[in-house]
Amino acid sequence: MSRPPAAREKILDAYCDLLRRDGERAATMDSTAALAGVSKGGLLYHFKSKDALAEAVVERLLAAAERDQAVMATAEEGASRYFVRTSLQSGSDLDTTYSAVVRLAAGAYEPAVRALDTVHRGWLELIQREVGDPHAAGAIMLMGEGLYYHSTLPGTWSRGTFVESLDELLRQVDRLKSGS
Amino acid sequence: MSRPPAAREKILDAYCDLLRRDGERAATMDSTAALAGVSKGGLLYHFKSKDALAEAVVERLLAAAERDQAVMATAEEGASRYFVRTSLQSGSDLDTTYSAVVRLAAGAYEPAVRALDTVHRGWLELIQREVGDPHAAGAIMLMGEGLYYHSTLPGTWSRGTFVESLDELLRQVDRLKSGS
DNA sequence: GTCTATATCTCGATAGAC
DNA sequence: GTCTATCGAGATATAGAC
């Protein structure tokens, strides 16, 4: 359990935040360094290139997703409800990193695309294990992903709408789970 | 019904394609002009700035969505099935433009965010009109949006998975529709 | 209406001081 | 381990020829 330098983590946090909030275009090394409170030279000591930064974010996602899926697999409410409920952005480490990787994938960065594949497979697998019917499981996963998609678009009406009705949405999940 | 110059449309097509396939970063004026088969000067005759390009894409989305929602409102299969079915990228004008605007919104471009709000409200409204129960309608909309989200991520496993099971997914839509 | 040439700015990355 | 200074590439945008 080596403890990575605090500066390194601050830089990664800043890069993920910029990706999530302002998009790939705004997530430059200059603005990342500024937000992290270090100079460009300081940043480049920890990450030799921009690719190295992106790589580190992808690794962070895979680690966070593995931890989260361990929790999801044993959640009392069941994997489906856990998944849909936590698809709303809450500011957790997984949220932020996942959103950042989605932005990287949107920029056609291959390692990000592959990492998302892995994470998505894991989620569907866990939901299927609980639900049984693979198509009901697929529908539940899509609901969660739709919720994520809406919660990640900057400042929209839909986020508020769906946040307010989360309880009722979870009851729709129950309907998909039961029978058929 | 003024007919806009062919070059202008080709430029917009190229810009949308680049945004969708390669992200905001890659969608530069240089590469847009190259893909459209015009020079940078030619591009700048039709669009005085990059912002003007983005604006035109947003307007195109609003027009395409209005046309599509008119079809959706009277679709024989019902608005819900129509919506979920067409959430899979098919290469239609609406698909391409919507994806492009989502990328612009991810870059925190406010007019894109507002346009998406408008379009999303319209979709949910039409689904609710068919389904009755607003929460079932919300769940159906989220399924469609999840499907869109997966189909727009470049080259993933999930796209294939959900494409293959579209018929069964539509039956899950029916389950959500029928009696709460 | 479309092109070339060019000015200006910002990004990513290197070099070297401290 | 962190900083400043600076270079080359690529981005937006302007000017003006055809």
Side-chain angles (χ1 to χ4, degrees):
Chain A
M1 277 301 181
S2 68
R3 165 174 327 178
R8 209 188 122 99
E9 293 303 303
K10 282 196 67 165
I11 290 167
L12 270 184
D13 288 345
Y15 183 56
C16 287
D17 268 5
L18 282 169
L19 275 173
R20 183 180 54 80
R21 283 207 323 260
D22 302 329
E24 358 155 28
R25 197 119 204 210
T28 66
M29 305 194 85
D30 265 307
S31 50
T32 300
L35 185 59
V38 300
S39 70
K40 226 196 304 195
L43 190 163
L44 280 157
Y45 170 79
H46 293 287
F47 301 96
K48 280 175 291 298
S49 71
K50 208 178 181 203
D51 251 53
L53 247 182
E55 243 178 85
V57 173
V58 168
E59 278 166 32
R60 206 193 226 198
L61 169 67
L62 291 173
E66 206 166 329
R67 271 183 269 117
D68 183 74
Q69 289 182 1
V71 175
M72 177 173 163
T74 60
E76 271 189 48
E77 61 190 326
S80 304
R81 271 180 165 259
Y82 177 90
F83 176 72
V84 172
R85 196 170 46 74
T86 59
S87 287
L88 272 174
Q89 296 263 78
S90 63
S92 75
D93 198 31
L94 178 61
D95 273 352
T96 312
T97 316
Y98 180 76
S99 298
V101 172
V102 169
R103 298 290 153 95
L104 291 175
Y109 176 61
E110 268 303 315
V113 174
R114 284 196 299 273
L116 288 181
D117 250 30
T118 302
V119 173
H120 291 155
R121 277 175 202 270
W123 281 334
L124 185 54
E125 157 85 24
L126 289 177
I127 295 173
Q128 272 183 5
R129 198 182 296 174
E130 181 198 13
V131 173
D133 177 16
H135 302 112
I140 291 169
M141 169 141 171
L142 290 176
M143 272 185 63
E145 296 287 69
L147 208 47
Y148 160 77
Y149 164 73
H150 275 280
S151 77
T152 197
L153 285 176
T156 59
W157 146 83
S158 54
R159 188 203 316 234
T161 302
F162 291 124
V163 167
E164 275 176 30
S165 59
L166 181 58
D167 281 347
E168 285 91 349
L169 283 173
L170 290 173
R171 291 190 31 243
Q172 306 299 317
V173 171
D174 294 337
R175 292 182 60 208
L176 286 170
K177 259 161 57 175
S178 65
S180 179
Chain B
M1 276 299 181
S2 67
R3 166 175 326 179
R8 209 188 122 99
E9 293 302 302
K10 282 196 66 166
I11 290 166
L12 270 183
D13 287 344
Y15 183 56
C16 287
D17 268 5
L18 282 168
L19 276 173
R20 184 180 52 83
R21 284 209 322 261
D22 301 329
E24 356 156 28
R25 199 120 205 211
T28 66
M29 305 195 84
D30 264 308
S31 50
T32 299
L35 185 60
V38 299
S39 71
K40 225 192 307 195
L43 190 162
L44 281 156
Y45 170 78
H46 293 286
F47 302 95
K48 280 175 289 299
S49 71
K50 210 178 179 203
D51 250 52
L53 248 182
E55 240 179 86
V57 173
V58 167
E59 278 166 32
R60 206 194 226 198
L61 170 67
L62 291 173
E66 206 165 328
R67 273 182 269 119
D68 183 74
Q69 289 180 2
V71 176
M72 177 172 161
T74 61
E76 272 189 46
E77 61 191 326
S80 304
R81 272 180 163 258
Y82 177 89
F83 176 71
V84 172
R85 197 170 46 74
T86 59
S87 288
L88 270 174
Q89 297 263 79
S90 63
S92 75
D93 198 31
L94 177 61
D95 273 352
T96 312
T97 316
Y98 180 76
S99 298
V101 173
V102 169
R103 296 291 154 94
L104 290 175
Y109 177 62
E110 268 303 314
V113 174
R114 284 196 299 272
L116 287 182
D117 249 31
T118 303
V119 173
H120 290 155
R121 277 174 202 270
W123 281 334
L124 185 54
E125 157 85 25
L126 288 179
I127 296 173
Q128 272 183 6
R129 197 181 298 172
E130 181 198 14
V131 172
D133 177 15
H135 302 113
I140 290 169
M141 168 140 171
L142 289 177
M143 272 185 64
E145 296 287 70
L147 208 47
Y148 159 76
Y149 164 72
H150 274 281
S151 78
T152 197
L153 285 175
T156 60
W157 147 84
S158 53
R159 188 202 315 232
T161 301
F162 291 124
V163 167
E164 275 175 32
S165 59
L166 180 58
D167 281 348
E168 285 90 350
L169 284 173
L170 290 174
R171 292 191 31 243
Q172 305 299 317
V173 172
D174 295 337
R175 291 183 58 208
L176 286 170
K177 259 159 59 175
S178 65
S180 168

